[in-house]
Amino acid sequence: MFKPSILAAALSLATLAHAGNPIVSTMFTADPAALVDNGRVYLYAGRDEAPVDGKTYVMNEWRVYSSCDMQHWTDHGSPLRFSSFAWAAKDAWAGDIAKRDGKYYFYATVSHKTIHGMAIGVAVSDSPTGPFVDARGSALVTNDMTRETKISWDDIDPAVFIDTDGQAYLYWGNTVMKYAKLKPNMIEFDGPIHTVGLDAFTEASYLHKHNGIYYLSYSAKFPEETVYLTGPSATGPWSWGGVIMAQNAIVKTIHHAIVDFNGKSYIIYHNDKLPTGGEYRRSVAVEEFHYGADGKIGLIAQSAAGPAANPSPGCK
Ligand code: FUB
């Protein structure tokens, strides 16, 4: 007979029963972030817990999943909750992940208990599956640190990027996109906060590099579509690229992450395709895409099948 602790561990490592989109059908998930580590891809998502007739986000925890082939996923449970930050009042909104010097840093959007508005914290772990703990004991970004808009949710959606020269950057924002350099310790800014003047920027900044080109993508307009810019450095200057993904049918948000895994490129995003899905009951999905010879990304269609299996050698 299983001891309860062994049974809990077995359940928390369950393989999701199906291949194809959405990746997770056992619960509603949103705001994907991704990390490839030791040949395995890790997917982080917020859990949408709103009821069918819910009128607002109910998000208390992040979840983590992993795959060796982008088709079959293992559920590793929840590595972090908003309450892991003692200074946070509620909300486990979008986050992003980076690995540096053997440690995993998760940047997370939460509501602050004492400083009005949304804030960004940093949690750290020795494992990509957690558990993560607050790395600072205080927020890295609070609403009173940026003044470009009066809204209380303009400091959300962190996107972390470590350049090939080792410099790390954090991009974030709603309505106004901002960025700052991070110190090598990954938990403090190294210099001022900058703003990026963008057309129709809503939220969900994402910075990645492919074949020497920097790609700054984000959710534009509302309902949102995913668009991208390209540039010669992690801070631009930026040139218009195009629309990567058209808006969803029901849910107005579409938050994405872009990742190279085992020689192929993927976009992970959320939609409303699970039964009873909608604005506050979202589902994370993945598509393979290709860069043109000129580095351009075309419009990527959402699919029910998702990508073909891409087994990563040596990944178990
Ligand atoms: O999930 C809460 C918010 O909705 C995220 O922070 C935004 O990107 C949007 O997806």
Side-chain angles (χ1 to χ4, degrees), residues 19 39 45 49 83 111 146 154 170 210 224 230 232 239 259 299 307:
E49 298 180 67
S83 52
S111 285
T146 64
D154 62 320
L170 193 76
H210 182 85
E224 297 174 348
T230 57
S239 305
V259 68
L299 188 67

Side-chain angles (χ1 to χ4, degrees), residues 30-31 48 57 59 93-94 109 156-157 203-204 224 253-255 270 282:
D31 302 331
D48 269 340
Y57 297 118
M59 303 182 79
W93 283 18
T109 310
I156 65 170
D157 292 2
E203 58 189 2
E224 297 174 348
T253 61
I254 194 165
H255 196 118
H270 67 225
R282 301 164 289 181

